[in-house]
Amino acid sequence: MKDRLTAEDSILWNNVILGDQQAYRELYDIYADMLFRYGLRYVKDTSTIKDCIQDLFTSLYHHRHNLARNVNIRFYLLRSFRRKIHQVVKKNAAVLHTASPEEYFSIVYEPDAEQLQIAAEQQQEMLRLLARELNELPARQKEVLFLKFNCSLSYEEVAGIMKISVPTCRTLAYRAFRQLRSNMEKAPLLPLMFLLMAWLSRQHYKF
C-alpha cells in the first residue's frame, strides 16, 4: 500500500494519541466532510451519518492509547467509518428504507442555482447523464470510483477499505469505465468524472 504519511500527518496523529484536544479537533475538522460525503452514498438520513461520524471520533479518542502510530489517517478513518455505517444500515435497513450496504451506493448530481448559472447547460446535462450512468453500475464498481476519484486513494488503499484484493479492485474499475465509455461514447469521461467528484466535494457536514 502506498505510504502517504507526511510529517504533518505523523505529528497530528501522534498528538491525537497523546490526548491533545487541539489535534483531535483539527483531525475532526479535516476529515468530517469527507466522511459525511462517503456516508451519503449509503444512506440519505443525515442524522444517521452524523451519529456514525460522532461515534467514530468518540471511539477514536477513548481508545487513543491503543492506536498504531504509523498509519495512513485517511485510509484508517474511511475504513473504520465504512464498517460503522455498514453496521448501522444493516441494523436499520427497514427504518432507513434502503437496501443492504453491499447492494446500495448512490451518486446523485443535483446542482444548486449558483452552479446552474456558472456552468454551461450542455455540461450540466452531461454531468446528469454521467451520474445516471454511474447509478446503473453495480454498487461495488461505484464505490471503487468514488473512493478513487473523490477521496484520492490508490487502488491498494481502496482495496484495503473495501476488503477486496487489488486485482479485483482494478477489475471493478476497468469494468466500470468500459461500461461508461460504451454508454457515453462522445463524452470526455475523465474530465466529467473529475467535475462530478469536485461537485460532490462541496457537500459539507452541517453541524
Side-chain angles (χ1 to χ4, degrees):
M1 184 180 299
K2 184 178 179 181
D3 185 7
R4 296 188 177 187
L5 187 65
T6 66
E8 292 81 5
D9 287 340
S10 180
I11 293 172
L12 176 62
W13 189 249
N14 282 322
N15 284 340
V16 168
I17 293 174
L18 292 173
D20 186 320
Q21 292 286 334
Q22 179 58 37
Y24 180 77
R25 285 192 293 271
E26 184 178 346
L27 185 74
Y28 189 92
D29 290 342
I30 292 172
Y31 291 104
D33 280 347
M34 179 190 67
L35 297 174
F36 182 72
R37 293 193 300 271
Y38 190 31
L40 282 173
R41 312 282 70 82
Y42 282 109
V43 60
K44 297 308 177 187
D45 183 68
T46 57
S47 295
T48 297
I49 301 170
K50 292 177 183 179
D51 287 345
C52 286
I53 293 173
Q54 295 286 354
D55 185 51
L56 171 62
F57 279 91
T58 299
S59 177
L60 188 73
Y61 186 76
H62 287 326
H63 300 286
R64 62 190 182 277
H65 299 301
N66 298 322
L67 297 172
R69 290 188 174 273
N70 187 27
V71 301
N72 181 319
I73 299 174
R74 178 176 299 214
F75 171 81
Y76 177 86
L77 292 178
L78 280 168
R79 184 176 61 178
S80 300
F81 180 72
R82 185 180 191 265
R83 183 166 57 248
K84 285 186 178 296
I85 203 79
H86 274 215
Q87 290 171 346
V88 170
V89 170
K90 286 179 179 178
K91 183 178 179 181
N92 300 303
V95 177
L96 298 175
H97 304 291
T98 185
S100 71
E102 288 78 11
E103 299 171 351
Y104 183 82
F105 197 86
S106 175
I107 295 177
V108 179
Y109 180 64
E110 297 174 346
D112 56 29
E114 179 184 357
Q115 287 175 297
L116 288 172
Q117 290 178 353
I118 294 173
E121 181 179 343
Q122 183 179 10
Q123 184 187 79
Q124 295 290 337
E125 184 56 36
M126 293 301 293
L127 288 172
R128 288 191 182 94
L129 175 61
L130 175 57
R132 187 161 61 244
E133 292 297 334
L134 277 168
N135 279 310
E136 293 298 319
L137 298 174
R140 292 204 305 171
Q141 292 182 16
K142 285 184 283 187
E143 186 168 9
V144 166
L145 295 184
F146 180 85
L147 290 171
K148 175 70 176 171
F149 288 96
N150 187 271
C151 300
S152 302
L153 301 178
S154 68
Y155 283 116
E156 291 79 8
E157 291 164 340
V158 174
I161 288 170
M162 295 180 64
K163 298 181 180 179
I164 57 178
S165 69
V166 175
T168 296
C169 184
R170 290 183 180 276
T171 298
L172 289 170
Y174 169 76
R175 289 175 178 171
F177 273 111
R178 183 176 62 184
Q179 181 170 330
L180 290 173
R181 287 195 180 99
S182 175
N183 295 339
M184 302 180 65
E185 293 180 357
K186 298 181 179 180
L189 188 55
L190 275 176
L192 284 173
M193 183 70 74
F194 281 115
L195 279 174
L196 179 60
M197 294 303 168
W199 177 81
L200 291 173
S201 293
R202 295 182 59 178
Q203 295 177 299
H204 297 305
Y205 178 24
K206 304 297 183 183
F207 295 92

